[in-house]
């Protein structure tokens, strides 16, 4: 059936939101830029919408914001933005990778990362003691120095206590706060009382450092290789992290999440809702529901690749992890390299908050 012209709708009469040309001559700062981008299309609009959601998140007085970070963000020199969010009270929990923390620790200790020369091959880099991370180099000497500092911290710990990633991060942060005024993720988190969780702790330089520390103890106690690899005396229980995080969530009045990348940090943070629900249904214990009400995600991986990093907030609603939009959930997802989107987003929100 052919449509009649008089049957066509009009966007204005239907109450649709109009778009507007991006006029750079009318823009003076990042706040104004993202407000204007929010009235454009495609990735620019999603970034503008993310600024609106993040502004609402950080202005919500009773909101506990969980920050999850993966990828080589500290090597990419994004660590100070995490520090900025910590210092402004925009993060109450951090969940991240051991690699991000280890490379950030190196930076806090005053060591440097370098741009990788285009004419140098990976075999040559290995022989010279350089570890390549995409287009950036981490010196093996930096990792050795970080291990020395971690070893010093480990030597002062209570050997009778049971440790986990968040308690080890707290002690590393305490050490940094006592020995340097250089800002860093662990130092700033310690000073603000923000716990740092590393769910996949063994998958990192810090995990290898702790393993070496334990193998050394086994060898000193008379064990022989290869048996010494499994005769580890240092008490480490990752379920203490899960319990401590769940306690924070249970105590929260409302929940928000700010995510860079995906991987283990993202899903470990989000699974707390199903965890509490299963405790209630399977153990018949009285626990509140936990649903994230706000969320902002910066990740270049689209959903159709099938990886968890591309999992949408909408999909998370079906798992009981997020509040549905019709129930008050508000989310923004930006498919972009975080080293591009994050600085612009954070600066815009900082300016927007400071104008109020």
């Amino acid at each position: 059936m052919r449509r009649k012209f008089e049957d066509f709708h009009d966007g204005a009469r239907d109450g649709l939101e109009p778009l507007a040309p991006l006029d750079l001559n009318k823009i003076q700062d990042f706040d104004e830029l993202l407000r204007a981008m929010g009235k454009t299309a495609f990735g620019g609009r999603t970034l503008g919408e993310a600024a609106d959601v993040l502004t609402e998140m950080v202005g919500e007085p009773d909101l506990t914001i969980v920050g999850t970070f993966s990828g080589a963000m500290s090597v990419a020199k994004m660590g100070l933005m995490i520090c900025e969010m910590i210092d402004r009270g925009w993060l109450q929990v951090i969940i991240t990778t051991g690699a991000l923390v280890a490379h950030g620790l190196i930076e806090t200790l005053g060591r440097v990362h370098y741009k990788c020369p285009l004419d140098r091959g990976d075999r040559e880099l290995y022989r010279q003691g350089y570890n390549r991370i995409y287009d950036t180099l981490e010196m093996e000497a930096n990792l050795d120095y970080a291990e020395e500092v971690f070893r010093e911290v480990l030597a002062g710990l209570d050997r009778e206590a049971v440790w986990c990633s968040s308690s080890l991060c707290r002690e590393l942060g305490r050490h940094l706060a006592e020995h340097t005024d250089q800002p860093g993720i662990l130092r700033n988190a310690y000073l603000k009382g923000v716990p740092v969780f590393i769910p996949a702790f063994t998958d990192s330089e810090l995990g290898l450092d702790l393993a070496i520390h334990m193998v050394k103890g086994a060898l000193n106690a008379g064990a022989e290789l290869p048996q010494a690899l499994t005769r580890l005396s240092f008490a480490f229980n990752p379920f203490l992290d899960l319990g401590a995080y769940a306690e924070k969530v249970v105590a929260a009045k409302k929940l928000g999440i700010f995510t860079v990348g995906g991987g283990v940090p993202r899903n470990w943070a989000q699974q707390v809702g199903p965890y509490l629900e299963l405790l209630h249904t399977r153990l018949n214990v009285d626990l509140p529901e936990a649903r994230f009400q706000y969320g902002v995600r910066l990740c270049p991986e689209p959903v159709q690749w099938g990886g968890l990093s591309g999992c949408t907030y909408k999909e998370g609603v079906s798992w009981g992890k997020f509040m549905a939009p019709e129930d008050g959930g508000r989310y923004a997802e930006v498919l972009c390299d975080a080293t591009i989107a994050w600085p612009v987003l954070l600066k815009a929100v900082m300016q927007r908050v400071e104008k109020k």
Side-chain angles (χ1 to χ4, degrees):
M1 186 178 73
R2 182 168 294 180
R3 296 178 299 170
K4 296 180 181 179
F5 179 76
E6 56 267 26
D7 293 334
F8 292 171
H9 282 230
D10 177 85
R13 287 200 301 268
D14 283 348
L16 302 183
E17 184 177 350
L19 302 183
L22 184 62
D23 188 349
L24 295 180
N25 293 308
K26 296 180 179 179
I27 293 171
Q28 304 300 319
D29 59 22
F30 288 94
D31 170 27
E32 294 178 2
L33 175 64
L34 288 202
R35 288 184 190 276
M37 289 171 63
K39 297 179 180 179
T40 62
F42 314 136
R45 185 194 299 172
T46 63
L47 190 57
E49 292 171 346
D52 294 338
V53 176
L54 185 57
T55 301
E56 188 171 333
M57 283 174 62
V58 301
E60 185 80 55
D62 294 327
L63 191 69
T64 294
I65 302 177
V66 178
T68 81
F69 304 95
S70 61
M73 291 297 104
S74 47
V75 168
K77 305 294 115 181
M78 301 289 113
L80 289 184
M81 290 197 294
I82 300 178
C83 295
E84 186 71 31
M85 296 181 76
I86 293 170
D87 292 345
R88 287 175 175 266
W90 293 356
L91 295 174
Q92 284 71 51
V93 176
I94 291 175
I95 301 169
T96 186
T97 65
L100 194 150
V101 167
H103 298 304
L105 170 63
I106 286 167
E107 188 175 57
T108 309
L109 293 171
R111 298 302 174 102
V112 180
H113 299 114
Y114 293 94
K115 182 177 179 179
C116 182
L118 296 177
D119 61 350
R120 202 167 304 184
D122 290 305
R123 185 190 299 178
E124 183 181 6
L125 291 174
Y126 172 76
R127 288 199 301 263
Q128 294 174 343
Y130 291 114
N131 300 288
R132 184 171 67 85
I133 306 166
Y134 305 109
D135 59 356
T136 304
L137 297 179
E138 176 75 271
M139 295 192 299
E140 188 68 24
N142 287 348
L143 299 173
D144 289 341
Y145 180 54
E147 187 275 332
E148 291 177 14
V149 173
F150 192 22
R151 190 192 324 150
E152 182 180 345
V153 172
L154 290 172
L157 298 182
D158 181 0
R159 304 295 296 189
E160 301 300 318
V162 181
W163 296 87
C164 58
S165 73
S166 56
S167 56
L168 290 176
C169 285
R170 182 192 65 228
E171 295 308 310
L172 275 167
R174 186 197 309 274
H175 178 90
L176 293 170
E178 292 172 351
H179 291 87
T180 181
D181 58 2
Q182 180 76 19
I185 298 167
L186 293 183
R187 177 185 178 275
N188 289 47
Y190 168 76
L191 291 174
K192 289 293 185 178
V194 174
V196 178
F197 297 97
I198 305 175
F201 185 77
T202 57
D203 181 26
S204 69
E205 181 71 24
L206 290 178
L208 297 182
D209 291 343
L210 179 56
I212 291 169
H213 177 78
M214 291 190 280
V215 170
K216 180 181 178 181
L219 292 172
N220 290 341
E224 296 182 356
L225 290 172
Q227 289 77 19
L229 296 175
T230 55
R231 294 181 183 176
L232 309 178
S233 59
F234 189 89
F236 184 92
N237 187 342
F239 289 97
L240 292 175
D241 285 322
L242 180 61
Y245 175 51
E247 276 189 338
K248 294 283 288 187
V249 169
V250 167
K253 295 180 179 179
K254 297 179 182 179
L255 286 173
I257 188 167
F258 178 82
T259 291
V260 172
V264 172
R266 170 195 163 113
N267 190 64
W268 193 85
Q270 295 175 179
Q271 72 176 356
V272 67
Y275 176 51
L276 295 178
E277 186 173 351
L278 291 173
L279 286 173
H280 173 71
T281 58
R282 295 179 183 177
L283 300 184
N284 196 30
V285 294
D286 186 17
L287 287 170
E289 283 190 346
R291 301 286 188 273
F292 288 99
Q293 183 175 349
Y294 294 91
V296 173
R297 176 172 72 99
L298 310 177
C299 180
E301 184 176 351
V303 66
Q304 65 266 22
W305 287 357
L308 187 61
S309 297
C311 168
T312 62
Y313 289 131
K314 184 177 180 181
E315 182 179 314
V317 172
S318 74
W319 286 86
K321 298 175 180 179
F322 295 94
M323 190 179 295
E326 54 266 34
D327 296 327
R330 191 169 184 208
Y331 312 107
E333 297 174 281
V334 183
L335 292 176
C336 184
D337 180 344
T339 63
I340 299 170
W342 191 8
V344 178
L345 172 64
L346 189 56
K347 187 63 176 180
V349 174
M350 288 165 58
Q351 290 176 339
R352 195 171 296 184
V353 169
E354 289 163 2
K355 288 178 182 178
K356 291 182 178 180

